[in-house]
Amino acid sequence: MVPLPPRPHRDDVLIALAGLLGGLLLWALGLHTRIAAPALPAGNDAAWSLLPLAATAGAELLRRTWTGWALAVGTVALVADQFTVGSLATVIMYTDLVYAAVLYGPPARARRLPAATGLVTVAVTLAVLAWFRQPQALLVGVVVGVVSFGPATTGAMLRNHREAAAAARLRAEQTALLAEMDRVQAVTDERARMARELHDLVAGHLSAIAIHSTAALSLDDEATTRRALGVIRENSVDGLAEMRRLIEVLRAEGEPDAPSVPPTLDGLGTLVEQARANGLDVRRFTPPPAGPPLPAPVGLAAYRIVQESLTNALKHGAPGPVDAVLDRSEGTLTVRVRSPLGGDAGPRAPGSGAGLVGMRERAELLGGGFSAGPVGEAGPGGGRRWEVRAVLPLGEGHGRFPGAGSGPGDIDDEREG
């Protein structure tokens, strides 16, 4: 069972009515494309021309939905119109059917129809010229080209323009989507960077405050309490100062207060002295040897890794000496911090687990490597220690340092903060 055609478009109905009424008006006025039609009985020529007119007007209703059927009906009607006195309205509506078949039809038909109408135009021109052997026969080919090849070519050009516009819109939408994805990724990366920076700023000072406040509460000694309160006050002031620096960095440009300079390796001496004041036994501190200035991202990453390592040693390490060594060689900066390995008794502090993750991210963002884990021999006399090691390349040409990231243990243990 052949399905019924869909409801015709409103514009197609208007085109069909306009063509039909125009043809009826031409018929009533006696305006035809030929004076007489020899194939029909005299006196009935004009009436017979109304049948192809009606068929072509009916095909116009299908010009957008059933393009193939509409073109087939229109072609038969146009051929039949040649055996009557002819109607100009039938010819005009047929050109619209050819145009619509290319514009609204399947892509394969849109590609083949212009070529097919071009071949038909050439074939008809050559056949008529060979039959009549008169130069005027070329006019027949021109008419065939205007009726078939011209509308098909016009429809193909308009269809190509529409497809190009649709492709351009799709590319614009994809570009906008990629731009939005890049923006979201940039925001996510910036939030992660801010989280690492905030953790490194606050964790050390709050850890010292927690440890010394516990000592002040547990020991009934006025001198010890006063020393603990002094350390607490010093860490509170320093923490507030660093928090203010971070807030200034986040301010928009043009505000009154300019952001302060982020910390560099020149401040490691002050950082180590502060750790000693907080009760950490930093026995050995070796700053990097003199040389060309380090890139700012490398200096900041090294400073934060040392800061976080000392904070973790204060929070989780056992009593004993701590070593912080920085070495510069072969286009890399190696940061190594060793501290006594503490036990795992007791609950973990809130927020534990972000320290090693943040240090690893800082190293990997610069194309370097990071490792953290216990080193040394186990046992009563083994002196087992915890080592944090980061290898940071000093330039774009160095890439990832061979073997970085696969140091001793290379594990994320409970000792994080």
Side-chain angles (χ1 to χ4, degrees):
M1 182 177 179
V2 179
L4 295 176
R7 179 176 298 180
H9 195 273
R10 183 183 62 179
D11 294 342
D12 299 342
V13 174
L14 295 178
I15 292 173
L17 288 177
L20 181 61
L21 294 178
L24 291 175
L25 179 61
L26 294 175
W27 176 79
L29 296 176
L31 300 177
H32 309 293
T33 57
R34 284 179 302 281
I35 298 177
L40 296 174
N44 296 331
D45 295 355
W48 283 105
S49 66
L50 295 179
L51 293 179
L53 175 67
T56 309
E60 286 282 22
L61 298 175
L62 307 176
R63 63 187 293 274
R64 197 185 303 260
T65 54
W66 281 15
T67 56
W69 284 102
L71 182 60
V73 172
T75 302
V76 172
L78 181 65
V79 173
D81 187 67
Q82 306 308 308
F83 295 95
T84 69
V85 293
S87 174
L88 182 61
T90 301
V91 177
I92 294 176
M93 285 191 291
Y94 179 77
T95 61
D96 180 68
L97 292 176
V98 177
Y99 166 81
V102 176
L103 184 61
Y104 301 116
R109 182 185 303 155
R111 290 191 301 268
R112 291 195 296 261
L113 198 55
T117 55
L119 292 176
V120 169
T121 300
V122 173
V124 170
T125 302
L126 296 177
V128 174
L129 185 61
W131 179 265
F132 291 101
R133 298 181 182 276
Q134 296 290 332
Q136 289 81 1
L138 295 174
L139 298 178
V140 178
V142 173
V143 173
V144 174
V146 171
V147 173
S148 60
F149 180 68
T153 306
T154 304
M157 289 190 298
L158 182 58
R159 180 168 184 145
N160 290 336
H161 284 307
R162 288 186 175 181
E163 291 178 350
R169 285 194 298 270
L170 179 60
R171 286 194 298 269
E173 293 174 359
Q174 291 176 344
T175 302
L177 179 60
L178 291 175
E180 178 63 17
M181 293 174 62
D182 290 342
R183 187 193 68 81
V184 173
Q185 183 63 39
V187 171
T188 303
D189 293 343
E190 182 65 15
R191 292 181 63 180
R193 187 193 67 80
M194 291 169 56
R196 289 192 301 270
E197 191 75 8
L198 183 61
H199 175 273
D200 294 340
L201 285 175
V202 177
H205 296 296
L206 291 184
S207 299
I209 291 173
I211 292 173
H212 286 278
S213 61
T214 302
L217 292 173
S218 59
L219 298 177
D220 189 12
D221 181 72
E222 182 178 356
T224 303
T225 301
R226 290 184 63 85
R227 283 196 301 271
L229 291 177
V231 174
I232 290 173
R233 182 185 182 282
E234 180 182 353
N235 280 274
S236 301
V237 172
D238 292 343
L240 288 175
E242 294 196 5
M243 282 293 295
R244 186 175 186 275
R245 185 193 67 78
L246 180 60
I247 293 173
E248 289 175 346
V249 170
L250 298 178
R251 283 178 177 169
E253 294 184 1
E255 293 195 7
D257 296 332
S260 57
V261 180
T264 62
L265 293 184
D266 295 336
L268 282 180
T270 304
L271 180 66
V272 170
E273 291 301 324
Q274 184 180 27
R276 289 169 177 164
N278 291 336
L280 195 63
D281 184 13
V282 182
R283 296 278 182 90
R284 180 186 176 195
F285 168 61
T286 305
L294 294 175
V298 175
L300 178 61
Y303 182 93
R304 293 305 186 195
I305 290 173
V306 174
Q307 182 184 42
E308 180 62 25
S309 301
L310 296 179
T311 299
N312 284 346
L314 180 65
K315 292 169 59 177
H316 306 292
V322 177
D323 299 332
V325 179
L326 285 82
D327 181 49
R328 178 176 181 171
S329 61
E330 297 181 1
T332 60
L333 178 67
T334 302
V335 180
R336 182 181 292 107
V337 180
R338 288 189 177 185
S339 59
L341 183 64
D344 54 358
R348 301 178 66 181
S352 295
L356 292 180
V357 174
M359 288 189 285
R360 184 182 302 278
E361 288 178 351
R362 287 184 183 275
E364 291 179 351
L365 284 175
L366 295 174
F370 176 82
S371 62
V375 294
E377 298 294 333
R384 199 156 170 78
R385 294 164 66 81
W386 179 270
E387 180 184 80
V388 173
R389 179 175 177 267
V391 181
L392 309 177
L394 301 182
E396 297 179 355
H398 298 289
R400 185 174 298 277
F401 185 78
S406 59
D410 194 26
I411 58 172
D412 289 346
D413 169 272
E414 288 187 358
R415 183 175 173 180
E416 302 182 45

